[in-house]
Amino acid sequence: MAHNMNVLITREQIADGVARIGQEITREFAGETVILLGVLKGACLFLSDLARQIELDATFDFIAVRSYGTKKESAGEVQLIKDVTTPLEDKNVILVEDILDTGLTFTFLKKLLQARKPRALKFAALLDKPSRRLMPVQADYVGFQIPDQFVVGYGLDYAERYRNLPDICVFSEDKGK
Ligand code: IMP
Ligand code: MG
């Protein structure tokens, strides 16, 4: 099946959005240390660019979750498949995600991470699809709000593919005639 791609957010726009979030975090946590906690695998490109826009004493950690469902829809059940390796108690933790969609993943991670008693827990999402929300959550830092369209690139995948595209593209399957 052929896949159609249309650029929605260019690499230049992404860089501007990431820089803006980096400045906000730098300002809000001035004089403090932060842990950038990336949600594998989608957030790894965003985290690596964001980290270079944050002028603070920062460390990295990673967490991985799986949500069962089809290639385009998560099914509502989130499972932890890799935990952090550093203690979060009394630390400033910035959870870094590629996209906030239904909010199920963030709701799951928020509960898990709050139990570790961080000093602050903030949530940075490069993309936000507010119209898809099933849980009443929002991100503290958002790069771009997007409509209800499935996107790939800059870390985001379709069945593990297209994460390495430099632009964020709207993806659709060309079902033919
Ligand atoms: P949520 O739990 O529904 O908020 O979804 C979060 C996760 O769903 C993200 O971390 C992505 O892995 C995936 N996801 C949601 N929307 C898209 C999309 O448009 N493209 C690729 N992955 C997506
Ligand atoms: Mg994914």
Side-chain angles (χ1 to χ4, degrees):
M1 198 181 293
H3 295 163
N4 295 319
M5 299 281 182
N6 290 300
V7 175
L8 179 68
I9 307 172
T10 66
R11 62 200 78 183
E12 292 82 11
Q13 290 171 316
I14 295 170
D16 288 348
V18 173
R20 175 174 46 76
I21 295 175
Q23 287 157 13
E24 288 174 37
I25 291 171
T26 302
R27 214 179 308 122
E28 281 186 35
F29 288 95
E32 298 188 51
T33 61
V34 294
I35 299 177
L36 301 178
L37 178 50
V39 185
L40 295 173
K41 303 166 205 169
C44 66
L45 277 70
F46 176 37
L47 186 143
S48 62
D49 285 341
L50 179 63
R52 285 174 281 187
Q53 299 293 335
I54 294 177
E55 294 172 41
L56 298 171
D57 190 355
T59 57
F60 299 171
D61 208 333
F62 296 93
I63 200 163
V65 292
R66 176 166 43 209
S67 51
Y68 292 102
T70 64
K71 288 171 182 166
K72 284 190 175 183
E73 301 275 337
S74 74
E77 193 187 327
V78 185
Q79 190 191 12
L80 184 70
I81 52 177
K82 183 220 168 296
D83 205 342
V84 297
T85 55
T86 46
L88 304 179
E89 186 166 353
D90 206 31
K91 298 289 195 319
N92 296 314
V93 178
I94 299 171
L95 186 66
V96 181
E97 254 279 40
D98 51 3
I99 185 166
L100 175 57
D101 187 30
T102 62
L104 290 162
T105 306
F106 179 46
T107 302
F108 172 85
L109 288 175
K110 197 173 170 181
K111 188 170 172 225
L112 183 95
L113 298 172
Q114 287 290 12
R116 314 276 169 88
K117 300 185 169 39
R119 186 186 317 171
L121 178 63
K122 298 283 180 170
F123 183 39
L126 180 68
L127 304 178
D128 183 12
K129 279 188 206 170
S131 63
R132 294 254 312 157
R133 209 75 90 243
L134 295 176
M135 303 300 282
V137 289
Q138 58 184 42
D140 300 290
Y141 313 102
V142 174
F144 305 90
Q145 288 200 340
I146 63 167
D148 181 11
Q149 290 177 309
F150 193 81
V151 290
V152 295
Y154 196 70
L156 292 132
D157 72 304
Y158 171 77
E160 297 299 328
R161 295 175 65 197
Y162 308 118
R163 293 191 195 274
N164 59 322
L165 297 179
D167 306 303
I168 292 169
C169 301
V170 174
F171 168 94
S172 60
E173 284 163 342
D174 186 358
K175 297 200 172 75
K177 292 253 160 102

